[in-house]
Amino acid sequence: MDHPSRVGKYQIEQFLGGGMAHVYRATDTVLGRQVALKILTKAAMSDQESKTRFLMEARVASNITHENIISIYDFGEDEGRPFIVMEYLEGESLRAAIRDGHLGDFRWRLRVAQQVGRAIDYIHSRRIIHRDIKPENINIDRVGKVKLMDFGIAKADGVAITRAGYTLGTPYYMAPEQVLGRSLTPQADIYAFGIMLFELLTGLKAVTGSSVEQIFERILYQPLDTAPLDQLGVPALTDLVVRCTTKQPAQRPRSLGEVCDGIEAILYPGSVTAPQPQVYVPVKSAALPGFVQKLPSPLRTQTGLMLLAALLMVAAVTLIYELLVLTHVV
């Protein structure tokens, strides 16, 4: 396999993998930082749609800034070959974490899911549908920080480059409407998120099959087997996954923000809005008697004045009691 040694100002250090595009660890020789360099292969260059989709990924992803989404630093062409320069991520894919048993406890997994959900909800707010949500496209580092990756088949609003009759996406995570080649909405990503959440929590694939046809048939016609989820003993979570993966898009949650709120309610049951720190608002000086204006600033507040009044009242009652004792009334 022929690998370039340099692309523009990027010195290639290591081949990391890839298919229609090769990904390398490289060094930005100007800024001195490590980056991930993605280059379209010569074979993919012969397909105009693959090249168009590659460049669209660069344009779509470069306009996204979110703590749980991989950052795009640069993109362009070198000797006619398109490339994308991305943040170099430490860690592993969520797929590897599931496969190798690197997942934490139940709460840790929910926090991972919540980060993924917030990232997808953000791109939906930018009128972008990812269309390929799966564990392979999620990076997770050793402290559980998540990054959503790979916008290779993402669709920005108003842009259509999908070849007629050709379905994009990974079969196991496709929504029914995606299998049927229908127009997609963010609910397709919500479906894929639900299927991925099932796998994240149970370690099992929600949809199985020995062929693409069999997988598609199960996606279209078979209900989700919730038994592995039921064993977790959290009915609200089972209900959330079922709602995300229902066959009809209109019956799924309206947004992944709503789904993340549901996850948060499971993570922190019975929680209420965190109390806000007390803010002391000074009473306007113009309305204060002269002696009050001379008080220390902490006492020139509503809370301070109430405390001062209470102390004065206690002092007055004590004084009256002492006077009554002296006059032998009590």
Side-chain angles (χ1 to χ4, degrees), residues 157-205:
D157 187 49
V159 179
I161 61 169
T162 303
R163 186 183 291 119
Y166 185 73
T167 303
L168 295 173
T170 304
Y172 296 107
Y173 306 91
M174 282 185 179
E177 63 271 26
Q178 195 169 5
V179 169
L180 295 171
R182 294 175 179 168
S183 178
L184 300 184
T185 67
Q187 270 58 39
D189 284 347
I190 292 176
Y191 176 93
F193 176 84
I195 295 295
M196 188 206 67
L197 180 57
F198 181 105
E199 190 171 349
L200 170 61
L201 295 170
T202 67
L204 303 171
K205 274 190 165 63

Side-chain angles (χ1 to χ4, degrees), residues 56 127 155-160:
M56 178 183 290
R127 304 174 72 86
K155 180 179 181 297
D157 187 49
V159 179

